[in-house]
Amino acid sequence: MFNPLYITFAVYIILVLGIGFIAYFSTRNFDDYILGGRSLGSFVTAMSAGASDMSGWLLMGLPGAIYLSGLNESWIAIGLLVGAYFNWRLVSGRLRIHTELNHNALTLPEYFYQRFGARTPMIKVVSALVILVFFTLYCASGIIAGAKLFQLLFDVSYTQAMWLGAGATIIYTFIGGFLAVSWTDTVQATLMLFALILTPIMVYLSLGGADQFQSAMEHAISVTTKDYSSLLAGTSFIGIISAAAWGLGYFGQPHILARFMAAESKKSLVSARRIGMTWMFLCLGGAVAVGYFGIAYYYDKPVSSADAEKIFMYLARDLFNPWIAGVLLSAILAAVMSTLSCQLLVSSSAITEDFYKGFLRPKASQKELVWIGRAMVLAVAAIAIYIARDENSSVLKVVSYAWAGFGAAFGPVVILSVFSKRISSVAAVAGMIVGSLVVVGWKYIDSPIYEIIPGFIACWIVTYVLSLESPASKEVQEKFEQADNIYRSE
């Protein structure tokens, strides 16, 4: 007799692979493969940005952190909501116009090169290296999340689960490129929303209502060996600031910024913001509820700290019949696949556009670039799989490090690039390097402060101060004013 979980997962994987093949026939050149020809409408832009942003940590890392430490970890969700809103509000439309005006830049490194009027390719090299280093780590986190899912469901070794989890994502990204990633993201974002709303509701109902929920929570706190002292009382000021500082990372995430660049117009981003923020609010709220309600549901048999990131999986398995559980658990696969695919694509584009075309084959044909891009998807995936081979790795810890790296290296530069005409390429390069090094170095300091905070501040100061002393050329400043006028007139 067939296991419903196997059937559900098979149907889902066949669906996304089918979308990949459809996108293959819509991909005519490298522009299509990397940015979908800048043709995404409001709904697809919003859902794709959300799905590519959240990753497996939304259904594993965040609920696991809430389950272990209580509601003080919800400051991460609050910080992300604030950061995402300002990224949509302040950056998205401006970046869409600036990238198109600056030689129709397809990648973030190319945008920096054109926007700041660089005389050497140094800014391309530095920004592409930042993308490759931190995205490889980010990709590894997605592979870890997928492996934990397949390991739990199919009772296979971690290595086998790792290859199963990564395989389908690599295939449809390899085949379909940006269009496949964006179209599947829309399906995946819908599935994630459904799972995160339904699961906490079912936990609450299964416990019998408010009184029973409160009783179960009190019992869980009294018998557990975990420290829930801050469950409702909050946490230290530094802890709150560090958790909320996740929001700073939004301004520098290449896979999210790529969605803004691919939108069909600035006007479409207004509707996309409303859709995207509504989706994000519901999903983050659901993820927090899953972790918190899980404390009450497993009051008599607490989940171990090592398995805390599997709390959503356990709830889906124990609360629903196998067919519904299969659909809900497919949401984890959806979250993993949506982000991993986008990260692989952005990494591939950095290598293909900024190294291969920029240095080795400036006159490469569009067909050649598409196939080099596909080859680079495989290369980055192979390295990420190697990094992810440790089954004891934490999804949230790996994500937090990569998130901080991008936020500190690119965040201030992106913001200043769309708001200040004085920023020079030398200042931008220096800021990126300093921001990255501070994040890497801070990891070795025993500090409760999240590394994105000192890295972001250092990058901003260096970039801004150096631009005061050595501003951009008059030509660069005039082009900025042209883009700014277009933004204000639309």
Side-chain angles (χ1 to χ4, degrees):
M1 185 175 180
F2 291 107
N3 188 321
L5 285 175
Y6 298 168
I7 297 174
T8 303
F9 269 66
V11 169
Y12 179 76
I13 291 174
I14 291 171
L15 173 64
V16 296
L17 289 178
I19 293 174
F21 278 103
I22 293 172
Y24 175 84
F25 294 104
S26 298
T27 301
R28 298 175 298 276
N29 52 46
F30 191 61
D31 190 347
D32 288 343
Y33 189 74
I34 296 302
L35 281 186
R38 296 187 190 267
S39 61
L40 298 190
S42 299
F43 186 76
V44 176
T45 297
M47 300 300 270
S48 180
S52 63
D53 162 22
M54 287 304 173
S55 182
W57 79 269
L58 177 67
L59 291 101
M60 295 180 66
L62 182 57
I66 297 292
Y67 180 81
L68 284 177
S69 303
L71 291 178
N72 56 318
E73 293 292 344
S74 64
W75 282 104
I76 294 176
I78 295 171
L80 289 173
L81 282 169
V82 174
Y85 175 79
F86 283 109
N87 199 29
W88 279 105
R89 185 79 182 185
L90 302 177
V91 173
S92 65
R94 290 177 170 87
L95 185 65
R96 171 63 179 81
I97 290 171
H98 275 280
T99 52
E100 185 172 22
L101 188 63
N102 283 278
H103 293 262
N104 194 35
L106 301 179
T107 67
L108 208 54
E110 176 67 16
Y111 165 63
F112 289 149
Y113 178 78
Q114 299 293 345
R115 163 65 185 84
F116 298 124
R119 296 180 180 177
T120 70
M122 178 60 69
I123 195 167
K124 276 190 177 184
V125 173
V126 171
S127 51
L129 286 174
V130 170
I131 287 175
L132 292 177
V133 170
F134 289 111
F135 256 156
T136 303
L137 289 171
Y138 217 142
C139 290
S141 73
I143 293 172
I144 293 167
K148 289 184 177 181
L149 171 64
F150 278 86
Q151 189 178 27
L152 175 70
L153 296 181
F154 303 128
D155 193 26
V156 295
S157 70
Y158 180 80
T159 301
Q160 291 174 313
M162 183 174 62
W163 284 102
L164 284 172
T169 309
I170 294 169
I171 291 172
Y172 83 76
T173 307
F174 176 87
I175 294 170
F178 190 88
L179 289 175
V181 171
S182 298
W183 292 344
T184 53
D185 279 353
T186 304
V187 176
Q188 290 161 339
T190 304
L191 183 57
M192 290 158 65
L193 179 62
F194 169 75
L196 286 169
I197 289 177
L198 182 61
T199 303
I201 290 175
M202 288 303 296
V203 173
Y204 184 81
L205 294 176
S206 69
L207 289 172
D211 292 340
Q212 292 85 349
F213 177 86
Q214 184 63 31
S215 176
M217 183 65 73
E218 291 173 355
H219 182 71
I221 295 172
S222 68
V223 302
T224 186
T225 58
K226 302 184 183 75
D227 179 15
Y228 283 138
S229 59
S230 62
L231 194 62
L232 295 171
T235 187
S236 67
F237 176 75
I238 291 179
I240 291 173
I241 294 299
S242 291
W246 276 68
L248 292 175
Y250 269 106
F251 301 103
Q253 305 301 317
H255 54 305
I256 298 173
L257 299 174
R259 267 49 190 176
F260 301 158
M261 295 161 64
E264 60 184 359
S265 68
K266 171 201 164 185
K267 185 178 180 180
S268 70
L269 287 167
V270 177
S271 297
R273 182 185 75 235
R274 294 166 184 159
I275 297 169
M277 290 306 302
T278 301
W279 179 90
M280 187 177 179
F281 175 80
L282 293 173
C283 283
L284 285 171
V288 170
V290 165
Y292 187 63
F293 286 20
I295 300 170
Y297 189 78
Y298 293 110
Y299 69 93
D300 58 343
K301 48 183 184 302
V303 176
S304 67
S305 297
D307 288 335
E309 290 190 331
K310 298 177 181 178
I311 188 67
F312 174 81
M313 299 183 201
Y314 292 143
L315 289 171
R317 181 193 63 187
D318 296 341
L319 281 167
F320 301 93
N321 72 57
W323 289 102
I324 301 299
V327 174
L328 295 177
L329 291 172
S330 293
I332 297 179
L333 185 60
V336 170
M337 294 176 77
S338 60
T339 303
L340 177 58
S341 60
C342 187
Q343 292 161 350
L344 288 173
L345 194 62
V346 174
S347 300
S348 166
S349 66
I351 299 173
T352 306
E353 177 75 12
D354 303 309
F355 282 122
Y356 184 80
K357 182 182 178 183
F359 295 102
L360 301 178
R361 294 271 294 169
K363 297 182 179 180
S365 68
Q366 290 295 305
K367 184 176 181 180
E368 179 182 347
L369 291 175
V370 169
W371 281 104
I372 291 296
R374 288 179 171 138
M376 292 305 101
V377 165
L378 299 180
V380 173
I383 298 172
I385 289 172
Y386 178 79
I387 294 172
R389 69 191 187 282
D390 181 7
E391 62 180 300
N392 295 316
S393 299
S394 164
V395 177
L396 189 62
K397 287 183 179 179
V398 177
V399 169
S400 69
Y401 189 53
W403 187 266
F406 282 128
F410 291 153
V413 177
V414 169
I415 295 171
L416 290 170
S417 77
V418 297
F419 278 100
S420 175
K421 64 183 181 180
R422 295 176 58 89
I423 306 302
S424 64
S425 62
V426 173
V429 169
M432 289 180 206
I433 294 174
V434 171
S436 301
L437 292 178
V438 169
V439 167
V440 173
W442 201 264
K443 202 69 177 174
Y444 296 96
I445 299 175
D446 187 19
S447 171
I449 299 175
Y450 184 23
E451 54 264 27
I452 196 173
I453 298 175
F456 192 96
I457 294 172
C459 177
W460 188 289
I461 291 174
V462 169
T463 305
Y464 188 76
V465 171
L466 288 181
S467 293
L468 291 178
E469 297 180 359
S470 180
S473 66
K474 183 178 179 181
E475 180 182 358
V476 169
Q477 295 192 39
E478 288 175 349
K479 184 180 287 188
F480 173 90
E481 291 174 350
Q482 181 184 355
D484 196 52
N485 289 334
I486 293 174
Y487 174 81
R488 295 178 187 279
S489 64
E490 289 189 357

